[in-house]
Amino acid sequence: MSVPYSTDDAGHPAPSDGLSQSVGPNGPLLLQDHFLIQKMAHFNRERVPERVVHAKGGGAFGEMEITEDVSQFTKADLFQKGKKTPLLLRFSTVAGELGSADSARDPRGFALKFYTEHGNYDLVGNNTPIFFIRDPSKFSDFIHSQKRRADNQLRDNNMQWDFWTQNPESAHQVSFLMTDRGTPKNWRHVNGYGSHTFLWYNANGEKFWVKYHFKTDQGIENLTAGEAKALEAEDPDAHRRDLWQAIERGDFPSWTVKVQIMPFEDAADYRFNPFDLTKVWPHGDYPEITIGKFTLNRNPSNYFAEIEQAAFEPSNLVPGIGSSPDKMLQGRLFSYPDTHRYRIGPNYLQLPVNQPKSPVRSYNFDGPMTYTNQVDPVYAPNTVGGPTAAEAMYEGEQYEVTGEIIRSAYKLHKEDDDFGQARALWENVLSETDRANMVSNIVGHASAPEVTGDMKKRVVEYWTNVHPDLGAGVAKGLGVQG
Ligand code: NDP
């Protein structure tokens, strides 16, 4: 069988696949061997910086179909009944580096990119409906505490508890993390949540607040702490492998798309601040409404090009959907595109995986790695027929906000506190087995040799605030006296 000849990156036929040019068989190599120089230089540049968070992951392509009419809530084209929209979903762990184990205890990233008719819509969510903090000014400190120390580059559970116990708003999310949902069986068996509150507005300009829930049709399945540890050693890439293999054999995973809708006016005096990312909206207040389903049915053909370089950003919003006063969302609207400009380059949106499938007629152009051709005119406004803004498509997005410029915590609503919803999880949702596993997971985590005696006391106090029985179980396990 004849195979085609190999080339360098510019298409020149390669003179050899394994021999560099030298002065005689034993002599030094030559600088003129540009084939060798290109091979070594390109190899040195094979990596882009890994993501600071959510570095280890995997993903696949698929399609969402909307089966219900929600046009009374949003005019967004991807949410109209009967609409099918192609998508990319990337799963990840948060704290570990690129080669870290998939089964580590951590939230799972659940980042969606929908290729809509009005540009890309990204929902950069997690497998939990909440988060550890509610103000973005704490984000880098939080992540530093979960990653590695400066002196020895080791993970440090004492540092993690130090941050969590001094930031009690973390208790709800740490509760999720310490149940067996913190160690899912694989990515196919996790729910996804948009987590933030977003704005929806319809064709009449009526506004609603919305939360997204993506329920796994495979059912939730988790590992115990022991099973997760064993899998870390046995196959650090187990979750990446599981998703890839399922799709290769035609066993396409799917998720049911649900939303909670809050009338715009309810937000002002709802019993919880509806923009606080550490809180859910209890289903009894705002029931989940099923609106469609999505399925993953295609693996990437090049992992680096399509997953490593995939750039998700909550600022990818489309007409019919807006942001909200959620402070964490506001911070992420800046930080995601900013990190992509640094990590991949200013023209990351021109890469095929990030490029919208709808036309791009932007007046931004040039910069490193420009791939598309800018056409004249290159400025707006102009009198020569260049594209003009689609103001009417954003009608309905506007709302009034007034207030002093201050640095302050959120204004508390009637039932806002740091522990109540975590307590509801413990009291009303978790089974006896879930509770027992949660206690032993916490005890296991806080028993690491670096966790000091004083820190263990703080840990017990933190969990006692969630529920006295939980605190007592943790105290017993850690050997902390009352
Ligand atoms: P509900 O009883 O209506 O809902 C509880 C929800 O908890 C379930 O629908 C399920 O949501 C989720 N759940 C079930 N088992 C577990 C588990 N082992 N670990 C974590 N979550 C689980 O009660 P409320 O809506 O009034 O909420 C009560 C508490 O439930 C909240 O304080 C929160 O901690 C938790 N919760 C609430 C969610 C919400 O959006 N309201 C979502 C998830 C948890 P799902 O199908 O999404 O897994």
Side-chain angles (χ1 to χ4, degrees), residues 297-323:
N297 54 22
R298 179 166 64 87
N299 277 318
S301 52
N302 181 296
Y303 181 88
F304 185 87
E306 296 179 306
I307 304 296
E308 191 59 15
Q309 292 195 127
F312 299 89
E313 43 190 309
S315 43
N316 270 344
L317 295 162
V318 292
I321 307 174
S323 64

Short mmCIF file of all heavy atoms in Angstrom, two decimals, residues 297-323:
data_model
loop_
_atom_site.label_atom_id
_atom_site.label_comp_id
_atom_site.label_asym_id
_atom_site.label_seq_id
_atom_site.Cartn_x
_atom_site.Cartn_y
_atom_site.Cartn_z
N ASN A 297 -23.41 13.05 21.24
CA ASN A 297 -23.36 11.97 20.24
C ASN A 297 -22.10 11.98 19.39
O ASN A 297 -21.99 11.22 18.43
CB ASN A 297 -24.60 12.05 19.33
CG ASN A 297 -24.74 13.42 18.69
OD1 ASN A 297 -23.76 14.17 18.59
ND2 ASN A 297 -25.95 13.77 18.26
N ARG A 298 -21.14 12.87 19.70
CA ARG A 298 -19.93 12.90 18.85
C ARG A 298 -18.71 13.24 19.69
O ARG A 298 -18.71 14.26 20.39
CB ARG A 298 -20.10 13.94 17.73
CG ARG A 298 -18.89 14.05 16.81
CD ARG A 298 -19.22 14.82 15.53
NE ARG A 298 -19.59 16.21 15.74
CZ ARG A 298 -18.72 17.22 15.81
NH1 ARG A 298 -17.42 16.98 15.71
NH2 ARG A 298 -19.15 18.45 15.97
N ASN A 299 -17.70 12.39 19.63
CA ASN A 299 -16.44 12.69 20.31
C ASN A 299 -15.65 13.72 19.51
O ASN A 299 -15.82 13.82 18.29
CB ASN A 299 -15.61 11.40 20.45
CG ASN A 299 -16.04 10.59 21.65
OD1 ASN A 299 -16.29 11.15 22.72
ND2 ASN A 299 -16.12 9.27 21.49
N PRO A 300 -14.76 14.44 20.18
CA PRO A 300 -13.91 15.36 19.42
C PRO A 300 -13.01 14.55 18.49
O PRO A 300 -12.69 13.39 18.78
CB PRO A 300 -13.08 16.06 20.51
CG PRO A 300 -13.16 15.19 21.71
CD PRO A 300 -14.46 14.46 21.62
N SER A 301 -12.61 15.17 17.36
CA SER A 301 -11.67 14.45 16.49
C SER A 301 -10.25 14.86 16.83
O SER A 301 -9.30 14.16 16.47
CB SER A 301 -11.98 14.71 15.02
OG SER A 301 -12.04 16.09 14.81
N ASN A 302 -10.08 15.97 17.52
CA ASN A 302 -8.75 16.35 18.01
C ASN A 302 -8.95 16.98 19.38
O ASN A 302 -9.51 18.08 19.48
CB ASN A 302 -8.05 17.31 17.05
CG ASN A 302 -6.67 17.68 17.57
OD1 ASN A 302 -6.53 18.30 18.62
ND2 ASN A 302 -5.65 17.28 16.84
N TYR A 303 -8.50 16.30 20.42
CA TYR A 303 -8.76 16.74 21.79
C TYR A 303 -8.21 18.15 22.04
O TYR A 303 -8.89 19.01 22.61
CB TYR A 303 -8.14 15.75 22.79
CG TYR A 303 -8.41 16.15 24.21
CD1 TYR A 303 -9.58 15.72 24.85
CD2 TYR A 303 -7.55 17.01 24.88
CE1 TYR A 303 -9.86 16.13 26.13
CE2 TYR A 303 -7.83 17.42 26.17
CZ TYR A 303 -8.98 16.97 26.79
OH TYR A 303 -9.27 17.40 28.05
N PHE A 304 -6.97 18.38 21.60
CA PHE A 304 -6.34 19.68 21.89
C PHE A 304 -7.11 20.81 21.21
O PHE A 304 -7.44 21.83 21.82
CB PHE A 304 -4.87 19.69 21.44
CG PHE A 304 -4.16 20.95 21.82
CD1 PHE A 304 -3.55 21.07 23.06
CD2 PHE A 304 -4.12 22.04 20.96
CE1 PHE A 304 -2.92 22.25 23.44
CE2 PHE A 304 -3.50 23.21 21.33
CZ PHE A 304 -2.89 23.31 22.57
N ALA A 305 -7.39 20.62 19.91
CA ALA A 305 -8.04 21.69 19.15
C ALA A 305 -9.45 21.98 19.66
O ALA A 305 -9.87 23.13 19.73
CB ALA A 305 -8.10 21.31 17.66
N GLU A 306 -10.17 20.92 20.04
CA GLU A 306 -11.61 21.10 20.29
C GLU A 306 -11.99 21.13 21.76
O GLU A 306 -13.08 21.59 22.10
CB GLU A 306 -12.39 19.99 19.58
CG GLU A 306 -12.25 20.07 18.07
CD GLU A 306 -13.00 18.96 17.37
OE1 GLU A 306 -12.77 17.78 17.70
OE2 GLU A 306 -13.81 19.26 16.48
N ILE A 307 -11.14 20.60 22.65
CA ILE A 307 -11.49 20.60 24.07
C ILE A 307 -10.51 21.47 24.85
O ILE A 307 -10.92 22.36 25.61
CB ILE A 307 -11.49 19.16 24.64
CG1 ILE A 307 -12.46 18.27 23.84
CG2 ILE A 307 -11.85 19.17 26.12
CD1 ILE A 307 -13.93 18.66 23.91
N GLU A 308 -9.21 21.26 24.63
CA GLU A 308 -8.23 22.07 25.37
C GLU A 308 -8.34 23.54 24.98
O GLU A 308 -8.20 24.43 25.81
CB GLU A 308 -6.81 21.54 25.10
CG GLU A 308 -5.72 22.11 25.99
CD GLU A 308 -5.93 21.85 27.48
OE1 GLU A 308 -6.77 21.01 27.85
OE2 GLU A 308 -5.27 22.53 28.28
N GLN A 309 -8.61 23.79 23.72
CA GLN A 309 -8.73 25.19 23.27
C GLN A 309 -10.18 25.71 23.30
O GLN A 309 -10.42 26.84 22.90
CB GLN A 309 -8.17 25.34 21.85
CG GLN A 309 -6.66 25.14 21.79
CD GLN A 309 -6.06 25.62 20.49
OE1 GLN A 309 -5.12 26.40 20.48
NE2 GLN A 309 -6.58 25.16 19.39
N ALA A 310 -11.10 24.90 23.78
CA ALA A 310 -12.48 25.38 23.90
C ALA A 310 -12.50 26.49 24.94
O ALA A 310 -11.91 26.36 26.02
CB ALA A 310 -13.41 24.25 24.30
N ALA A 311 -13.16 27.57 24.62
CA ALA A 311 -13.18 28.74 25.51
C ALA A 311 -14.63 29.05 25.86
O ALA A 311 -15.39 29.55 25.02
CB ALA A 311 -12.53 29.93 24.80
N PHE A 312 -15.01 28.71 27.09
CA PHE A 312 -16.38 28.96 27.55
C PHE A 312 -16.40 30.28 28.30
O PHE A 312 -15.48 30.57 29.07
CB PHE A 312 -16.85 27.84 28.48
CG PHE A 312 -16.86 26.49 27.81
CD1 PHE A 312 -15.74 25.68 27.82
CD2 PHE A 312 -18.00 26.04 27.16
CE1 PHE A 312 -15.75 24.44 27.20
CE2 PHE A 312 -18.02 24.79 26.54
CZ PHE A 312 -16.89 24.00 26.56
N GLU A 313 -17.45 31.05 28.13
CA GLU A 313 -17.50 32.35 28.81
C GLU A 313 -18.95 32.74 29.08
O GLU A 313 -19.76 32.82 28.15
CB GLU A 313 -16.80 33.42 27.98
CG GLU A 313 -17.11 33.37 26.50
CD GLU A 313 -16.21 34.30 25.70
OE1 GLU A 313 -16.11 35.48 26.07
OE2 GLU A 313 -15.63 33.85 24.71
N PRO A 314 -19.26 33.01 30.35
CA PRO A 314 -20.64 33.40 30.67
C PRO A 314 -21.07 34.67 29.96
O PRO A 314 -22.27 34.96 29.87
CB PRO A 314 -20.61 33.63 32.19
CG PRO A 314 -19.39 32.94 32.67
CD PRO A 314 -18.41 32.93 31.54
N SER A 315 -20.12 35.41 29.41
CA SER A 315 -20.45 36.63 28.67
C SER A 315 -20.99 36.32 27.28
O SER A 315 -21.45 37.22 26.58
CB SER A 315 -19.21 37.52 28.57
OG SER A 315 -18.09 36.72 28.25
N ASN A 316 -20.92 35.07 26.85
CA ASN A 316 -21.57 34.67 25.60
C ASN A 316 -23.07 34.57 25.86
O ASN A 316 -23.59 33.50 26.19
CB ASN A 316 -21.02 33.33 25.10
CG ASN A 316 -19.82 33.51 24.18
OD1 ASN A 316 -19.56 34.60 23.68
ND2 ASN A 316 -19.08 32.43 23.97
N LEU A 317 -23.77 35.69 25.75
CA LEU A 317 -25.22 35.77 25.99
C LEU A 317 -25.87 36.13 24.66
O LEU A 317 -25.26 36.80 23.83
CB LEU A 317 -25.52 36.85 27.03
CG LEU A 317 -24.98 36.57 28.44
CD1 LEU A 317 -24.92 37.87 29.26
CD2 LEU A 317 -25.83 35.54 29.16
N VAL A 318 -27.10 35.71 24.46
CA VAL A 318 -27.79 35.98 23.20
C VAL A 318 -29.06 36.78 23.46
O VAL A 318 -29.55 36.79 24.60
CB VAL A 318 -28.14 34.66 22.47
CG1 VAL A 318 -26.87 33.94 21.99
CG2 VAL A 318 -28.97 33.74 23.35
N PRO A 319 -29.61 37.45 22.44
CA PRO A 319 -30.84 38.21 22.65
C PRO A 319 -31.93 37.31 23.25
O PRO A 319 -32.14 36.19 22.79
CB PRO A 319 -31.21 38.67 21.24
CG PRO A 319 -29.90 38.75 20.51
CD PRO A 319 -29.08 37.62 21.07
N GLY A 320 -32.60 37.82 24.31
CA GLY A 320 -33.59 37.01 25.03
C GLY A 320 -33.06 36.53 26.37
O GLY A 320 -33.82 36.06 27.21
N ILE A 321 -31.72 36.64 26.55
CA ILE A 321 -31.09 36.19 27.80
C ILE A 321 -30.09 37.26 28.24
O ILE A 321 -29.27 37.72 27.43
CB ILE A 321 -30.33 34.86 27.63
CG1 ILE A 321 -31.25 33.80 27.02
CG2 ILE A 321 -29.77 34.39 28.97
CD1 ILE A 321 -30.55 32.51 26.67
N GLY A 322 -30.15 37.64 29.51
CA GLY A 322 -29.20 38.63 30.03
C GLY A 322 -28.55 38.14 31.30
O GLY A 322 -28.86 37.07 31.82
N SER A 323 -27.67 38.95 31.84
CA SER A 323 -27.02 38.63 33.11
C SER A 323 -27.94 39.05 34.25
O SER A 323 -29.09 39.44 34.01
CB SER A 323 -25.66 39.31 33.20
OG SER A 323 -25.83 40.70 33.19
#
